[in-house]
Amino acid sequence: MSDPAPGTVPRHVAIIMDGNGRWAAKRHLPRVAGHRQGVETVRVIVRAAGELGIEYLTLYGFSSENWKRPPEEVSDLMGLLRLFIRRDLAELHQNGVQVRVIGERDHLDADIVAMIGEAETLTRDNNRLKLIIAFNYGGQTEITSAVRRIARKVQAGSLDPEAITPETVSDHLDTAGVPDPDLIIRTSGEMRLSNFLLWQSAYSELVFADDLWPDFTPDGLRAAVDEFRRRSRRYGGSGSDAPTLGEG
Ligand code: IPE
Ligand code: IPE
Ligand code: MG
């Protein structure tokens, strides 16, 4: 498969990494084995995204609803974030990757919060690939927190309610300063957003891949990017290539 021509690569790709549990179940392995293999896929896909010239890559690693899982699985997932940062941070930094984590930090263990802070500080000035990890992230909570912060400014008299625009909301989200995702990929055949980037996905192109996340490959990423390049983005306009009457 050939690489896409420069200039047509989506600037921001976001991935809902789904299917680890089913990957493990198919092999009669415990779910954690699927999550472990999923981390290997993260490594491969981060590298491939950089090679494709993608500027921003957001990975959904743990949703605010994933706390509903059995405590052992939650603790395995926390452990894997620790392992990923411990094992991969130096190499990511060497490769010029900037790491940013979005989501609530309140209920995360103190050592994880510290590790996240360390990763963000170390890589702050890197500008090759911007890797955003959504961890303990939920779009509704993110929007609610933004609304709360905006309300406080209004209450304090520093913001006029009439001056609130969609940009005001964007600027108060965890993703402030990050362009909205051009392409959102979900693996494992599920077709829903599961509370991912609800505000930011307004005009994202969605591509659903059948591969379970541990089976997802750079070719799968390239195929999704190719699919994205075939789409016509109209943002509500009529678009030059929109079908007109008589052309079907
Ligand atoms: C994605 O895989 C990883 C997380 C949600 C943390 P799942 O664990 O959801 O795998 P399935 O959907 O049960 O196969
Ligand atoms: C979404 O996957 C969350 C992550 C990939 C981190 P889930 O597996 O939790 O989503 P649902 O429950 O199938 O909607
Ligand atoms: Mg799932």
Side-chain angles (χ1 to χ4, degrees), residues 23 42 56 72 79 87 119 137 161 186 213:
W23 183 93
V42 167
Y56 295 86
E72 315 79 66
R87 219 170 87 175
Y137 173 89
R186 182 168 187 148
W213 175 250

PDB file of all heavy atoms in Angstrom, residues 23 42 56 72 79 87 119 137 161 186 213:
ATOM      1  N   TRP A  23     -10.086 -10.236  21.969  1.00  0.00           N
ATOM      2  CA  TRP A  23      -8.846 -10.831  21.450  1.00  0.00           C
ATOM      3  C   TRP A  23      -8.352 -11.909  22.417  1.00  0.00           C
ATOM      4  O   TRP A  23      -7.970 -13.011  22.007  1.00  0.00           O
ATOM      5  CB  TRP A  23      -7.790  -9.732  21.283  1.00  0.00           C
ATOM      6  CG  TRP A  23      -6.491 -10.179  20.681  1.00  0.00           C
ATOM      7  CD1 TRP A  23      -6.156 -10.149  19.359  1.00  0.00           C
ATOM      8  CD2 TRP A  23      -5.355 -10.710  21.383  1.00  0.00           C
ATOM      9  NE1 TRP A  23      -4.876 -10.635  19.190  1.00  0.00           N
ATOM     10  CE2 TRP A  23      -4.356 -10.984  20.414  1.00  0.00           C
ATOM     11  CE3 TRP A  23      -5.071 -10.987  22.728  1.00  0.00           C
ATOM     12  CZ2 TRP A  23      -3.101 -11.508  20.741  1.00  0.00           C
ATOM     13  CZ3 TRP A  23      -3.828 -11.514  23.050  1.00  0.00           C
ATOM     14  CH2 TRP A  23      -2.866 -11.770  22.062  1.00  0.00           C
ATOM     15  N   VAL A  42      -0.101  -0.255  20.563  1.00  0.00           N
ATOM     16  CA  VAL A  42       0.088   1.190  20.750  1.00  0.00           C
ATOM     17  C   VAL A  42       1.475   1.599  20.257  1.00  0.00           C
ATOM     18  O   VAL A  42       1.628   2.553  19.492  1.00  0.00           O
ATOM     19  CB  VAL A  42      -0.111   1.602  22.232  1.00  0.00           C
ATOM     20  CG1 VAL A  42       0.385   3.023  22.481  1.00  0.00           C
ATOM     21  CG2 VAL A  42      -1.584   1.470  22.628  1.00  0.00           C
ATOM     22  N   TYR A  56      -1.147  14.968  15.153  1.00  0.00           N
ATOM     23  CA  TYR A  56      -1.746  14.684  16.459  1.00  0.00           C
ATOM     24  C   TYR A  56      -2.355  13.283  16.431  1.00  0.00           C
ATOM     25  O   TYR A  56      -3.129  12.963  15.523  1.00  0.00           O
ATOM     26  CB  TYR A  56      -2.873  15.676  16.782  1.00  0.00           C
ATOM     27  CG  TYR A  56      -2.416  17.100  16.955  1.00  0.00           C
ATOM     28  CD1 TYR A  56      -2.293  17.946  15.852  1.00  0.00           C
ATOM     29  CD2 TYR A  56      -2.136  17.615  18.223  1.00  0.00           C
ATOM     30  CE1 TYR A  56      -1.882  19.263  16.005  1.00  0.00           C
ATOM     31  CE2 TYR A  56      -1.734  18.932  18.384  1.00  0.00           C
ATOM     32  CZ  TYR A  56      -1.605  19.748  17.268  1.00  0.00           C
ATOM     33  OH  TYR A  56      -1.210  21.057  17.432  1.00  0.00           O
ATOM     34  N   GLU A  72     -10.000  -5.919  39.525  1.00  0.00           N
ATOM     35  CA  GLU A  72      -8.716  -6.485  39.058  1.00  0.00           C
ATOM     36  C   GLU A  72      -8.391  -5.965  37.656  1.00  0.00           C
ATOM     37  O   GLU A  72      -7.236  -5.682  37.339  1.00  0.00           O
ATOM     38  CB  GLU A  72      -8.747  -8.025  38.986  1.00  0.00           C
ATOM     39  CG  GLU A  72      -9.358  -8.741  40.168  1.00  0.00           C
ATOM     40  CD  GLU A  72     -10.884  -8.731  40.130  1.00  0.00           C
ATOM     41  OE1 GLU A  72     -11.459  -9.366  39.215  1.00  0.00           O
ATOM     42  OE2 GLU A  72     -11.510  -8.095  41.009  1.00  0.00           O
ATOM     43  N   GLY A  79      -1.988  -0.431  35.809  1.00  0.00           N
ATOM     44  CA  GLY A  79      -0.626  -0.963  35.784  1.00  0.00           C
ATOM     45  C   GLY A  79      -0.003  -0.831  34.401  1.00  0.00           C
ATOM     46  O   GLY A  79       1.184  -0.540  34.259  1.00  0.00           O
ATOM     47  N   ARG A  87       8.336   2.337  30.496  1.00  0.00           N
ATOM     48  CA  ARG A  87       9.116   1.653  29.464  1.00  0.00           C
ATOM     49  C   ARG A  87       9.343   2.495  28.210  1.00  0.00           C
ATOM     50  O   ARG A  87      10.358   2.366  27.552  1.00  0.00           O
ATOM     51  CB  ARG A  87       8.392   0.356  29.095  1.00  0.00           C
ATOM     52  CG  ARG A  87       9.336  -0.796  28.861  1.00  0.00           C
ATOM     53  CD  ARG A  87       8.585  -2.090  28.734  1.00  0.00           C
ATOM     54  NE  ARG A  87       8.141  -2.334  27.365  1.00  0.00           N
ATOM     55  CZ  ARG A  87       7.535  -3.455  26.981  1.00  0.00           C
ATOM     56  NH1 ARG A  87       7.275  -4.411  27.856  1.00  0.00           N
ATOM     57  NH2 ARG A  87       7.166  -3.626  25.737  1.00  0.00           N
ATOM     58  N   ALA A 119       5.883  12.978  32.424  1.00  0.00           N
ATOM     59  CA  ALA A 119       5.902  12.728  30.970  1.00  0.00           C
ATOM     60  C   ALA A 119       5.572  14.016  30.220  1.00  0.00           C
ATOM     61  O   ALA A 119       6.220  14.349  29.212  1.00  0.00           O
ATOM     62  CB  ALA A 119       4.898  11.635  30.615  1.00  0.00           C
ATOM     63  N   TYR A 137     -11.026   9.413  30.841  1.00  0.00           N
ATOM     64  CA  TYR A 137     -11.616  10.472  30.030  1.00  0.00           C
ATOM     65  C   TYR A 137     -13.063  10.147  29.692  1.00  0.00           C
ATOM     66  O   TYR A 137     -13.398   9.001  29.368  1.00  0.00           O
ATOM     67  CB  TYR A 137     -10.820  10.642  28.722  1.00  0.00           C
ATOM     68  CG  TYR A 137     -11.492  11.600  27.772  1.00  0.00           C
ATOM     69  CD1 TYR A 137     -11.224  12.957  27.833  1.00  0.00           C
ATOM     70  CD2 TYR A 137     -12.458  11.152  26.859  1.00  0.00           C
ATOM     71  CE1 TYR A 137     -11.882  13.855  26.997  1.00  0.00           C
ATOM     72  CE2 TYR A 137     -13.118  12.031  26.023  1.00  0.00           C
ATOM     73  CZ  TYR A 137     -12.829  13.380  26.095  1.00  0.00           C
ATOM     74  OH  TYR A 137     -13.496  14.254  25.277  1.00  0.00           O
ATOM     75  N   PRO A 161     -21.701  36.718  29.445  1.00  0.00           N
ATOM     76  CA  PRO A 161     -22.387  35.557  28.835  1.00  0.00           C
ATOM     77  C   PRO A 161     -22.620  35.740  27.339  1.00  0.00           C
ATOM     78  O   PRO A 161     -22.550  34.764  26.582  1.00  0.00           O
ATOM     79  CB  PRO A 161     -23.727  35.491  29.581  1.00  0.00           C
ATOM     80  CG  PRO A 161     -23.508  36.200  30.856  1.00  0.00           C
ATOM     81  CD  PRO A 161     -22.436  37.223  30.628  1.00  0.00           C
ATOM     82  N   ARG A 186     -12.395   3.510  15.048  1.00  0.00           N
ATOM     83  CA  ARG A 186     -12.704   2.592  16.148  1.00  0.00           C
ATOM     84  C   ARG A 186     -12.479   1.183  15.653  1.00  0.00           C
ATOM     85  O   ARG A 186     -12.991   0.795  14.594  1.00  0.00           O
ATOM     86  CB  ARG A 186     -14.139   2.752  16.658  1.00  0.00           C
ATOM     87  CG  ARG A 186     -14.426   1.812  17.844  1.00  0.00           C
ATOM     88  CD  ARG A 186     -15.709   2.105  18.569  1.00  0.00           C
ATOM     89  NE  ARG A 186     -15.819   1.281  19.776  1.00  0.00           N
ATOM     90  CZ  ARG A 186     -16.432   1.650  20.890  1.00  0.00           C
ATOM     91  NH1 ARG A 186     -17.009   2.830  20.961  1.00  0.00           N
ATOM     92  NH2 ARG A 186     -16.480   0.836  21.937  1.00  0.00           N
ATOM     93  N   TRP A 213      -8.316  -4.522  18.534  1.00  0.00           N
ATOM     94  CA  TRP A 213      -7.170  -3.618  18.676  1.00  0.00           C
ATOM     95  C   TRP A 213      -5.813  -4.334  18.670  1.00  0.00           C
ATOM     96  O   TRP A 213      -4.891  -3.904  17.956  1.00  0.00           O
ATOM     97  CB  TRP A 213      -7.329  -2.707  19.894  1.00  0.00           C
ATOM     98  CG  TRP A 213      -6.115  -1.861  20.127  1.00  0.00           C
ATOM     99  CD1 TRP A 213      -5.221  -1.968  21.134  1.00  0.00           C
ATOM    100  CD2 TRP A 213      -5.642  -0.792  19.271  1.00  0.00           C
ATOM    101  NE1 TRP A 213      -4.211  -1.035  20.989  1.00  0.00           N
ATOM    102  CE2 TRP A 213      -4.444  -0.302  19.853  1.00  0.00           C
ATOM    103  CE3 TRP A 213      -6.102  -0.217  18.079  1.00  0.00           C
ATOM    104  CZ2 TRP A 213      -3.715   0.744  19.290  1.00  0.00           C
ATOM    105  CZ3 TRP A 213      -5.370   0.826  17.513  1.00  0.00           C
ATOM    106  CH2 TRP A 213      -4.198   1.294  18.122  1.00  0.00           C
TER     107      TRP A 213
END
